[in-house]
Amino acid sequence: MATINYLTRIEFDYGSVKLLPNLIKELDILNPLIVTDSYLSNSDIFKDLILSLKQTQPTIFADTPQNPTEEAVECAVKIYNENACDGIIAVGGGSSIDLAKGVALLATHDGPLDQYALILGGLNKISSRVAPLIAVPTTAGTGSEVGRGALITLRDGRKLGFISPFLIPKIALCDPLLTLTLPPRLTAATGMDALTHCIETFLSPRVNPPADAIALDGAQRAAKWIEVAYKDGKNHEARWNMMMASLQGGLTFQKGLGAVHSMSHPLGGLKNITLHHGTLNALILPAVLRFNRDFCQDKLLILEKAIGLQKNIKLEDFIAQLNQNLDLPNSLSSIGVTREVLPQMIDGAINDHSTATNPRSLTKQDFTDLFEQVF
């Protein structure tokens, strides 16, 4: 069992979920709200977890949407307050963990939610009063269990980032055992999310060598093990390494992401269609890498060498082939995005907080061209 103290406390290894009852005691949580989704709430994994918490009186919120929304946050906060909860346990993928962060914020801070968005000047409005949160990831992708941010779609359709060091969960409980039954398609999509986090962070122009080192190691792990995990979900070594790559992506993207996320964020906020964040990142990544290449050539060479690519193979071509091997879509139109929404998506990308840390500056025309390439 490994205890890692980096940004927050991380308990990492097979069987670490058994520590949850003791960790709740350490944080003095007597009446937790468990935030999860409807599918997971009916699983044996979740039922076993609830049985382990018999010394508490947990309240369950199991209505997390695939992309967390302002409405869902407010509904969960209402349940939190009505049941006099004193802490939160997020069990699930990035959506459940991000939603739990929104609950931890609004349960202790006055609304409305949008005032706390980073792009609207909300960073300094978030204080240490946020409710204590333990994150238990069941996918290996977002790294939200150690991330300082949450992505939440507001009523008006904007998908905004809520970012503060106080939003980092108090404890991240990372047990690869919880990912062994993850379906292949979700394994692929979440794994590509982790890989994209590591790649975009490494290419970010901000100076942060520690983050670069973590990102490089995470990218190497994800590139090596994602296909193994996809093809053999019971492979313990592959699941361990993919969960570690996901964790590393979450640790390192404190440095900033790039245009892939600038484009996937507004797409994830569409209300007439539900799009998976990791799938979008995988689909968009090759085009953005081609766009950025001349502005981060040296870093791309380092990434390509670390991943083990032959000298004549570019990272963007490797990613495109990897997507194909993982049976992931290669166009927005193939997953139901219509051309009518593109102007709104372009505006959303221009205004997204990740745009500022892309290695190459972007104009509205640049985003127009990029969306056209992946459409």
Side-chain angles (χ1 to χ4, degrees):
M1 197 78 67
T3 298
I4 303 169
N5 288 299
Y6 194 95
L7 298 184
T8 191
R9 177 179 170 185
I10 305 159
E11 299 292 346
F12 192 106
D13 210 349
Y14 278 96
S16 62
V17 73
K18 295 178 181 178
L19 299 174
L20 185 57
N22 290 332
L23 297 178
I24 291 173
K25 288 181 181 178
E26 289 183 27
L27 295 181
D28 294 321
I29 298 174
L30 301 176
N31 188 16
L33 175 70
I34 301 179
V35 175
T36 190
D37 60 61
S38 59
Y39 174 81
L40 195 58
S41 68
N42 292 309
S43 68
D44 290 339
I45 287 174
F46 188 80
K47 292 173 183 175
D48 289 344
L49 185 144
I50 294 298
L51 285 175
S52 74
L53 300 178
K54 56 188 176 183
Q55 82 278 18
T56 68
Q57 296 180 329
T59 300
I60 300 172
F61 177 83
D63 292 325
T64 302
Q66 186 166 316
N67 291 302
T69 63
E70 183 177 13
E71 294 92 334
V73 170
E74 291 173 350
C75 182
V77 169
K78 185 173 184 289
I79 294 172
Y80 182 97
N81 291 330
E82 288 176 348
N83 290 276
C85 295
D86 55 3
I88 305 166
I89 304 170
V91 182
S95 294
S96 292
I97 298 173
D98 278 11
L99 182 68
K101 290 177 182 178
V103 177
L105 174 60
L106 277 195
T108 53
H109 293 63
D110 293 334
L113 180 62
D114 65 350
Q115 67 180 303
Y116 302 106
L118 177 67
I119 204 165
L120 299 178
L123 174 63
N124 294 326
K125 296 179 182 179
I126 301 174
S127 74
S128 61
R129 291 186 295 109
V130 298
L133 168 61
I134 297 175
V136 185
T138 60
T139 66
T142 70
S144 187
E145 66 272 11
V146 292
R148 60 180 177 170
L151 288 170
I152 299 171
T153 303
L154 303 185
R155 284 185 176 82
D156 60 13
R158 290 177 297 166
K159 188 170 186 176
L160 300 184
F162 297 81
I163 297 175
S164 166
F166 299 121
L167 290 179
I168 301 175
K170 299 295 185 186
I171 299 173
L173 193 52
C174 302
D175 189 339
L177 177 69
L178 304 182
T179 69
L180 291 181
T181 58
L182 201 64
R185 186 66 176 266
L186 199 52
T187 296
T190 55
M192 287 303 298
D193 193 19
L195 180 55
T196 303
H197 290 158
C198 293
I199 290 173
E200 283 217 289
T201 293
F202 187 74
L203 297 179
S204 164
R206 287 179 179 167
V207 177
N208 191 331
D212 287 344
I214 296 170
L216 197 62
D217 187 79
Q220 186 178 28
R221 288 179 193 273
K224 178 179 180 179
W225 290 104
I226 187 170
E227 283 194 73
V228 180
Y230 173 69
K231 294 174 181 177
D232 179 11
K234 301 296 184 183
N235 186 304
H236 280 221
E237 188 174 9
R239 291 298 194 185
W240 194 99
N241 277 281
M242 287 308 300
M243 182 160 269
M244 180 56 73
S246 174
L247 174 74
Q248 289 173 298
L251 291 173
T252 193
F253 66 48
Q254 320 295 329
K255 181 189 171 192
L257 295 164
V260 175
H261 281 77
S262 302
M263 296 169 68
S264 66
H265 288 161
L267 285 162
L270 289 170
K271 292 190 174 184
N272 63 331
I273 185 173
T274 301
L275 301 171
H276 187 271
H277 178 67
T279 301
L280 291 169
N281 284 347
L283 190 160
I284 295 168
L285 181 56
V288 171
L289 288 172
R290 292 187 195 99
F291 175 82
N292 286 332
R293 175 163 285 278
D294 290 343
F295 292 76
C296 52
Q297 185 75 249
D298 291 344
K299 284 189 172 182
L300 281 169
L301 289 174
I302 293 171
L303 270 170
E304 289 162 352
K305 183 177 180 181
I307 290 173
L309 302 186
Q310 296 179 4
K311 288 186 177 181
N312 62 331
I313 298 178
K314 294 181 178 180
L315 183 59
E316 53 265 40
D317 297 327
F318 167 77
I319 296 296
Q321 183 60 55
L322 181 58
N323 286 341
Q324 185 174 333
N325 295 349
L326 297 171
D327 296 315
L328 290 169
N330 62 5
S331 70
L332 294 177
S333 57
S334 70
I335 54 175
V337 178
T338 59
R339 190 171 292 278
E340 302 89 81
V341 304
L342 292 186
Q344 177 189 347
M345 298 301 96
I346 293 163
D347 287 342
I350 279 285
N351 294 311
D352 190 83
H353 63 271
S354 296
T355 299
T357 46
N358 191 69
R360 178 180 175 182
S361 297
L362 293 119
T363 65
K364 187 172 183 177
Q365 185 59 52
D366 290 328
F367 274 123
T368 300
D369 294 341
L370 284 167
F371 271 106
E372 192 62 40
Q373 287 176 41
V374 298
F375 184 75

